[in-house]
Amino acid sequence: MDSRGQVEPRIVWAVVESGIGPLLLAASPGGLVNVVFHATDPVRDRAVERLASRLGTEPVEAPGSPLLAEAIRQVEAYFAGERRDFDLPLDWSLISGFNREVLRELASGVPFGTVVGYGDLAGRVGRPGAAQAVGMAMGANPLPVVVPCHRVVESGGGIGGFGGGLETKRRLLALEGVLPEPLF
């Protein structure tokens, strides 16, 4: 219950503006559970439906919720260049198994301003040769930006793929000083 004796919804969400466009942030009592790129109305609606289906409860738009306050503050600070990492409780319930293991390693072991190859990340979780599986884990990341899948690149120097689009990946890497800022 909140301070007014009201039951806090199990999943709350809000859309926040960022340097890469609108992001949907969703949280549960366990922590931030989802970040969705390009959160225009249709994308937002699909994301909320997907969350309801996967988590078994109807998410509620609640930008003022205490469950979201710190996540919103940290995301805004990151895009303002005032924060280099995130210190948030994360709810991993949308991902499991190998994918969760890889994403946890990524979150803890690849700091701001650095990159790692898909194969290198596979080796870090004891699965050398599983670079493609790491790529699949990056594509399944329910917490992009906060769990920095944009920092995973091809070993040959290519930027690799990205669920938010390659331009978004370039902008995130430029924000972190890995790539030069785009000229236009």
Side-chain angles (χ1 to χ4, degrees):
M1 287 194 203
D2 68 13
S3 61
R4 298 179 315 268
Q6 302 289 319
V7 174
E8 180 81 22
R10 196 166 106 61
I11 304 294
V12 293
W13 63 270
V15 174
V16 297
E17 287 303 319
S18 74
I20 55 172
L23 295 174
L24 180 140
L25 304 180
S28 74
L32 190 66
V33 71
N34 202 202
V35 176
V36 178
F37 291 116
H38 316 298
T40 59
D41 290 349
V43 170
R44 179 204 64 214
D45 292 346
R46 282 192 306 275
V48 169
E49 287 174 19
R50 207 169 37 252
L51 281 168
S53 171
R54 299 221 24 226
L55 298 174
T57 186
E58 192 64 37
V60 175
E61 183 175 16
S65 171
L67 296 177
L68 285 169
E70 186 61 16
I72 291 170
R73 189 185 73 70
Q74 288 189 29
V75 165
E76 289 173 344
Y78 172 81
F79 283 103
E82 299 163 358
R83 181 166 204 94
R84 296 172 64 99
D85 55 14
F86 295 93
D87 183 20
L88 296 168
L90 301 177
D91 177 338
W92 294 95
S93 61
L94 292 176
I95 196 128
S96 62
F98 176 77
N99 290 356
R100 183 187 293 187
E101 184 180 356
V102 168
L103 291 172
R104 283 181 181 257
E105 173 59 31
L106 174 64
S108 65
V110 183
F112 182 96
T114 65
V115 295
V116 65
Y118 293 94
D120 293 335
L121 192 52
R124 288 186 186 191
V125 296
R127 297 270 308 270
Q132 281 188 316
V134 167
M136 298 297 285
M138 296 306 104
N141 182 2
L143 296 161
V145 180
V146 175
V147 176
C149 53
H150 59 277
R151 295 180 190 154
V152 184
V153 298
E154 296 174 350
S155 59
I159 195 168
F162 194 62
L166 293 181
E167 183 57 30
T168 299
K169 186 171 187 173
R170 284 185 188 96
R171 286 177 172 264
L172 289 166
L173 291 172
L175 174 73
E176 294 190 8
V178 175
L179 292 176
E181 286 288 338
L183 296 175
F184 45 88

